[in-house]
Amino acid sequence: MPLSEFQPLLLWRTLCRIPSLHAPHRLWRLELADQWELCHQFLTATPKLAAWTLASNGVTPCDVIEHDDGSLVGLDRLQGETFDVVRSDVVIYRLQIRELSHFLMELLGGAIDFETESIGSPHHRLGRLSRRFKSTRVHLCTRNDRTSLLSVANTLRPTKPLLLFVPTLAGTDADIDSLDEHHRVVVFGLDKLVVKSGDSIIVNRDAMEDLRFRLGLGDDLDTNFFRRNGSGYDICFEGNRFPLTDAVGLWYLAEFLAKPGDTLDPVELEAARTGVNARSSTSGTGETIDDEALANYKRQLLELSEDIAIAERNRDDGTLERLQTERHQIAEHLQKEIGLNGKSRVKTDAGNSRKNVRQQLQREIKRIRKRHPTLADHLSASFHGHWMSYQPADDPQWEF
C-alpha cells in the first residue's frame, strides 16, 4: 500500500503527552481528535473525577469545584473566570494496557504472554513474535526517555536480541544504537509500525521489513508468502509483493496453498469457513441444512446487515462491497437449499459446494491477475481434480 494511504495513529503521540495514562475524558478526546472512535476501545472509564479541566483554549488547566447540588464549575484562576463543567468531561479514563497489548500481538501475528513489571510501571512484557522474526521476545515501555529505557534494559539483561516497543522515538533523548549494541535491546517506535488506513488500524509492511533488518534478520522477499493482515492478505510470489483486501475466495485459496497435493473436501471447506457442521460429501441422501445450521446462517445475515450499515455510514466502499457480496452469497445459498415450505431440501452430492468453492477461487485468481499475472498463471495451472487439489509442478514452499 502506498505510504500516502497511511496516516499516523494519534494514540502513540497521545501516550507520550499523557505519560500517566490517566486523564479526563475531555483531554483524551482532544488529543485523539477524529480518531477517538478508532482508539477509545483501548480506554476505560474509572469512578474518579478529575480535580481539573481545561479552559476554552484547550490548554490552560483550571480547578473544578463541585457544589452541594452536584453541579460542577471550572475556575480559571489566571483570568479570574468561571464556567460550567459537564460531568462526563472530567471522568478519568485510563489506558487498558492489557487490551492494547493483546491487540498489538494479534495484529503482528505473535504469541501473547502479557505481564506488567510492577504496579504503575511503564514496562510490560507482551510475548513473542512469529517464527518469521525468530520468535523474538517483545516488551513495551510506554515512555521513551533515556532513564526509562536504560532501566528496562538493565532489568532485562537479554542474552540475545530483544524487541522493546515505545510509542514513538520522536523527541527521545536515549541513545538507541547504544542500547542495541551494549544491551541487545532493539528499540522500535510503534508510530512507524502500527498506523491508520481508512477506518482501520493496520501494520505498515514496509516498517515490518525495517524491523527485520533491525533485528538482524535481513530481507525475506525471496520467500513466497500468503499472510493474513488486519484488512486482507499480504502476498509475495517470486519477489513481487502486493496486498489484497479480504474475500471469501482468498480464505479458500490459503487453505489449498497450505496443503499442496491434497484433495480437499468442498463440503468440509465450506463448513470450516462458516462454522456450520458438515455432512459427508459422499452421502447419497440427507438434508443440506439442519435447524442449527439454518439458525447460524440467519445469524450471519443479521450480523452482515449490521456491518453493512456501519460501512455505509463510514463510506467504506471496499468493505461495503465485500460484505454485500458475502451477504448475497449466503442468501443465494439459502434460497437454493430451502424449499417453499421453509424446510431444507435434500441433496444427492457435493456438487453445489464444489461449484461454490471453484467459483470463489476463479474470481480471486482474476483479481490476482491484475496485480501479479505470473502468480495467476501459476495458480490456474496448478489446480486439478475439479479445482479441489493444488498440485504445483514446482512447490513454491508458501509461508503463512
Side-chain angles (χ1 to χ4, degrees):
M1 181 178 293
L3 291 176
S4 60
E5 297 186 28
F6 293 149
Q7 289 182 304
L9 190 66
L10 297 181
L11 178 65
W12 308 129
R13 180 198 70 181
T14 301
L15 297 190
C16 290
R17 296 169 68 124
I18 307 178
S20 67
L21 309 184
H22 290 68
H25 173 258
R26 185 183 176 199
L27 182 57
W28 284 109
R29 292 204 70 134
L30 282 170
E31 291 291 344
L32 293 172
D34 61 352
Q35 294 185 18
W36 165 258
E37 292 298 327
L38 187 63
C39 297
H40 85 277
Q41 60 180 304
F42 306 120
L43 302 174
T44 186
T46 72
K48 299 180 180 179
L49 295 180
W52 58 272
T53 185
L54 295 174
S56 59
N57 60 16
V59 176
T60 306
C62 301
D63 296 335
V64 174
I65 299 172
E66 184 170 4
H67 292 307
D68 292 340
D69 62 0
S71 62
L72 300 175
V73 173
L75 175 60
D76 184 345
R77 296 187 184 276
L78 293 177
Q79 301 295 328
E81 298 175 350
T82 61
F83 53 94
D84 292 334
V85 173
V86 179
R87 180 173 292 270
S88 60
D89 283 349
V90 292
V91 171
I92 296 292
Y93 275 65
R94 64 177 175 84
L95 182 73
Q96 301 180 84
I97 286 288
R98 181 181 293 273
E99 284 71 13
L100 177 60
S101 300
H102 277 261
F103 178 86
L104 284 174
M105 295 306 290
E106 182 177 347
L107 193 64
L108 297 172
I112 187 72
D113 182 21
F114 180 82
E115 184 179 19
T116 296
E117 180 67 21
S118 61
I119 296 177
S121 171
H123 172 211
H124 313 274
R125 184 181 71 200
L126 303 191
R128 291 181 179 273
L129 293 179
S130 65
R131 286 183 296 176
R132 178 179 173 237
F133 290 86
K134 302 297 183 184
S135 301
T136 300
R137 288 190 296 153
V138 186
H139 290 245
L140 167 68
C141 185
T142 55
R143 298 179 183 176
N144 68 356
D145 60 280
R146 178 177 179 274
T147 300
S148 297
L149 297 184
L150 274 175
S151 175
V152 173
N154 289 327
T155 298
L156 295 173
R157 297 182 181 277
T159 57
K160 55 184 179 179
L162 175 146
L163 176 60
L164 179 62
F165 282 138
V166 293
T168 178
L169 287 173
T172 184
D173 59 349
D175 187 339
I176 303 304
D177 293 334
S178 177
L179 286 169
D180 188 351
E181 181 180 353
H182 299 294
H183 297 273
R184 303 179 71 80
V185 173
V186 176
V187 184
F188 203 88
L190 284 167
D191 59 331
K192 301 298 183 185
L193 184 64
V194 179
V195 295
K196 177 181 182 292
S197 178
D199 294 321
S200 302
I201 299 174
I202 68 168
V203 172
N204 179 347
R205 293 295 167 180
D206 290 335
M208 286 287 274
E209 297 307 319
D210 183 35
L211 179 57
R212 281 182 56 84
F213 278 110
R214 289 289 310 280
L215 292 171
L217 303 178
D219 198 350
D220 70 344
L221 285 182
D222 58 340
T223 300
N224 297 313
F225 56 77
F226 199 94
R227 298 184 181 123
R228 180 121 194 176
N229 60 34
S231 58
Y233 287 83
D234 194 18
I235 305 168
C236 184
F237 183 70
E238 295 185 352
N240 187 348
R241 176 179 178 173
F242 63 100
L244 279 182
T245 54
D246 200 5
V248 172
L250 290 181
W251 187 93
Y252 288 135
L253 185 56
E255 291 294 304
F256 282 103
L257 298 187
K259 300 170 184 176
D262 292 354
T263 298
L264 304 188
D265 187 317
V267 175
E268 292 181 357
L269 271 176
E270 285 195 322
R273 187 185 67 80
T274 62
V276 178
N277 292 331
R279 57 182 296 279
S280 171
S281 61
T282 59
S283 174
T285 59
E287 291 186 344
T288 59
I289 302 178
D290 58 21
D291 291 340
E292 181 180 354
L294 180 60
N296 195 327
Y297 274 123
K298 289 181 176 179
R299 176 183 57 77
Q300 289 183 60
L301 286 173
L302 179 61
E303 291 175 351
L304 283 169
S305 295
E306 293 172 351
D307 291 341
I308 286 171
I310 293 173
E312 287 176 339
R313 287 199 301 271
N314 294 334
R315 298 181 179 179
D316 188 347
D317 294 338
T319 300
L320 180 62
E321 181 181 358
R322 174 175 61 80
L323 293 172
Q324 288 175 334
T325 298
E326 189 167 354
R327 182 175 66 176
H328 174 74
Q329 290 166 347
I330 294 176
E332 187 177 55
H333 180 64
L334 285 176
Q335 186 178 17
K336 291 179 180 178
E337 302 299 325
I338 298 176
L340 295 176
N341 59 1
K343 294 184 178 181
S344 178
R345 299 181 191 273
V346 175
K347 70 184 292 186
T348 57
D349 57 46
N352 285 341
S353 292
R354 186 179 298 110
K355 178 182 177 182
N356 289 340
V357 173
R358 183 180 69 248
Q359 288 178 340
Q360 294 287 354
L361 289 171
Q362 291 173 336
R363 182 179 295 116
E364 292 313 307
I365 290 176
K366 284 184 180 179
R367 198 154 65 111
I368 288 172
R369 187 171 297 281
K370 297 177 182 178
R371 305 295 301 274
H372 197 326
T374 302
L375 174 56
D377 290 341
H378 164 80
L379 294 172
S380 296
S382 299
F383 275 92
H384 302 277
H386 301 286
W387 285 75
M388 291 301 106
S389 181
Y390 171 63
Q391 300 176 17
D394 184 15
D395 190 354
Q397 299 294 317
W398 292 100
E399 292 187 6
F400 300 87

